[in-house]
Amino acid sequence: MMAIGAHAPSISIRERYRDVVSDGWPGVIAPQPDELLSSWLHRLAYANGVAPRAFARVLGLNPGMWSPALDLRLPADIARLLHTHTDISSDHLSAMKLSQGCPKQLLLPLRNSGRRNDSTWLQFCSCCLADDDQSYFRRRWRLATRISCTKHGCRLRDRCPSCHSRIAAFDQQELVPQHYCSRCGFDLRRAPTTRISPATRTFDRCIDDICGLEAITDAPSGPALIRRLLSLPSMSGYYAKRSLTSLSTAARVYCVERLNLPNEWPVESANDDDEEREARRLRRLIPPTGDHRAWIELLANALGRRRGRPASSKGDEPTLKLPDLLGAYVGMSSGAGRTAQKLVGT
Ligand SMILES: [Zn+2]
Ligand SMILES: [Zn+2]
């Protein structure tokens, strides 16, 4: 372009804008602890002024459940593209996926039937979303074994409380943060919290602590424990033919609550000789908290016991009833600096 006058700014044709700017996108955001890759991608899209549904095309993908699919498998060319434009290392991108050391069988499936008691692909805690500087979804909320929030003690949700549809931030066509329901616009941070019984919360926490994502895939008893966790509905006597992953969060909570776990744990409450003897026997069977393999085996055995049957073990055979195991877990967790009250709830 020609200069118009002596004092006018001189404007000349330069290289195309795309050629002079760096490869980095203007909006770059840091992944948060335990953040799902899809959650980070939705935030990245928003930070760059693109609605998530349209962002699929930026990555060369078709709409649909494009980002949940990337949680499971991130093709190398997309990982390279993201690294180039955001400078987030490929290791960091991989760490947000669900495919490394994660028990895939326990993940909530991506299919969507729309039926009330059926699972959706993702759960959330409205208090966590409200506490975040930028609301994000956690990797653990993809697991069927998770039903409560460790931090806030409330039940997780898997649907918008206003329109009852699943979380579908991947399908959001408006330029809004991902905590707004893509179907009705409800602010998910405002979803009312739902109470959960202290025993159910302890069970949930115990499973989560003992079956750390890597530990369960490595342990010899891991496959048995996964099978038994998946058949929790039949163990509880409800939804007997259904797998844990096929059920909504509310239905899974219902199943765990039907396990009739006591609110008071038996291990530490020895009042007479018999109980003291039993407490000593149980204490001998409890491995250190760091021994994940042993805990996984005990948990698999405890869940494998047929409901309502007397103990099949004799003497010191290392099988424990589920309430005994949870009681030991609570006792050891409180010894590790937390209080049993806090774990079990009041
Ligand atoms: Zn929470
Ligand atoms: Zn909604």
Side-chain angles (χ1 to χ4, degrees):
M1 206 171 277
M2 287 178 9
I4 296 166
H7 300 291
S10 170
I11 302 171
S12 58
I13 294 174
R14 300 275 310 269
E15 301 96 312
R16 285 153 57 98
Y17 176 72
R18 197 168 60 192
D19 297 332
V20 293
V21 295
S22 75
D23 282 339
W25 286 331
V28 175
I29 45 158
Q32 296 301 301
D34 196 38
E35 180 164 19
L36 257 181
L37 179 63
S38 53
S39 165
W40 176 78
L41 287 166
H42 304 149
R43 292 197 301 124
L44 181 69
Y46 177 70
N48 285 284
V50 183
R53 190 179 161 91
F55 195 70
R57 284 198 298 276
V58 175
L59 301 182
L61 298 168
N62 293 320
M65 298 189 82
W66 63 274
S67 55
L70 294 179
D71 288 334
L72 300 171
R73 186 179 159 273
L74 180 64
D77 57 330
I78 295 184
R80 265 197 305 278
L81 185 144
L82 289 169
H83 171 61
T84 303
H85 292 297
T86 66
D87 215 23
I88 302 291
S89 73
S90 50
D91 283 353
H92 214 147
L93 290 170
S94 284
M96 288 189 279
K97 288 190 305 175
L98 289 165
S99 50
Q100 284 186 333
C102 173
K104 283 204 184 68
Q105 304 95 314
L106 297 177
L107 292 175
L108 294 161
L110 300 190
R111 63 175 175 268
N112 177 39
S113 74
R115 284 194 293 267
R116 195 165 63 100
N117 286 331
D118 286 1
S119 56
T120 70
W121 75 285
L122 180 62
Q123 311 174 92
F124 66 96
C125 163
S126 55
C127 300
C128 283
L129 295 183
D131 284 355
D132 295 337
D133 287 338
Q134 288 180 19
S135 299
Y136 72 94
F137 292 89
R138 277 74 167 161
R139 296 168 80 237
R140 285 180 179 200
W141 292 346
R142 288 279 286 108
L143 285 166
T145 42
R146 288 254 66 180
I147 46 179
S148 71
C149 171
T150 306
K151 184 174 173 193
H152 297 101
C154 53
R155 204 201 83 187
L156 295 179
R157 285 182 173 275
D158 60 357
R159 283 160 166 80
C160 164
S162 174
C163 70
H164 307 291
S165 58
R166 64 178 174 164
I167 306 305
F170 51 82
D171 207 26
Q172 179 61 265
Q173 298 185 60
E174 310 287 330
L175 189 59
V176 292
Q178 60 182 338
H179 55 80
Y180 290 100
C181 172
S182 63
R183 183 163 162 198
C184 74
F186 183 84
D187 184 346
L188 299 171
R189 297 172 304 177
R190 291 178 41 233
T193 53
T194 308
R195 248 186 67 76
I196 193 166
S197 80
T200 302
R201 215 183 318 151
T202 302
F203 177 78
D204 180 47
R205 175 96 179 238
C206 174
I207 301 263
D208 187 50
D209 280 2
I210 293 172
C211 313
L213 294 180
E214 281 74 24
I216 195 168
T217 45
D218 291 347
S221 305
L225 178 55
I226 289 172
R227 265 198 318 277
R228 282 162 192 173
L229 287 170
L230 289 173
S231 58
L232 264 183
S234 79
M235 187 182 167
S236 73
Y238 286 82
Y239 307 105
K241 296 205 164 60
R242 303 277 300 267
S243 162
L244 190 72
T245 55
S246 76
L247 293 173
S248 67
T249 311
R252 281 181 279 124
V253 169
Y254 191 75
C255 288
V256 173
E257 296 196 331
R258 299 284 100 52
L259 295 176
N260 293 324
L261 300 171
N263 278 333
E264 288 185 18
W265 308 97
V267 167
E268 300 296 332
S269 59
N271 292 326
D272 59 33
D273 286 352
D274 283 351
E275 287 186 2
E276 176 56 36
R277 236 189 330 275
E278 174 64 3
R280 272 204 306 275
R281 186 186 78 85
L282 294 177
R283 275 197 290 271
R284 276 203 306 277
L285 298 178
I286 304 300
T289 41
D291 190 349
H292 280 190
R293 286 180 177 217
W295 274 92
I296 285 167
E297 186 176 347
L298 287 174
L299 192 54
N301 288 342
L303 287 171
R305 292 166 61 97
R306 299 283 294 278
R307 192 167 177 252
R309 293 258 180 106
S312 60
S313 61
K314 298 266 190 314
D316 284 348
E317 190 183 328
T319 62
L320 284 169
K321 285 183 278 187
L322 191 56
D324 293 336
L325 193 62
L326 293 177
Y329 163 76
V330 168
M332 295 189 77
S333 301
S334 60
R338 305 171 191 151
T339 66
Q341 261 330 339
K342 188 177 164 198
L343 280 164
V344 181
T346 47

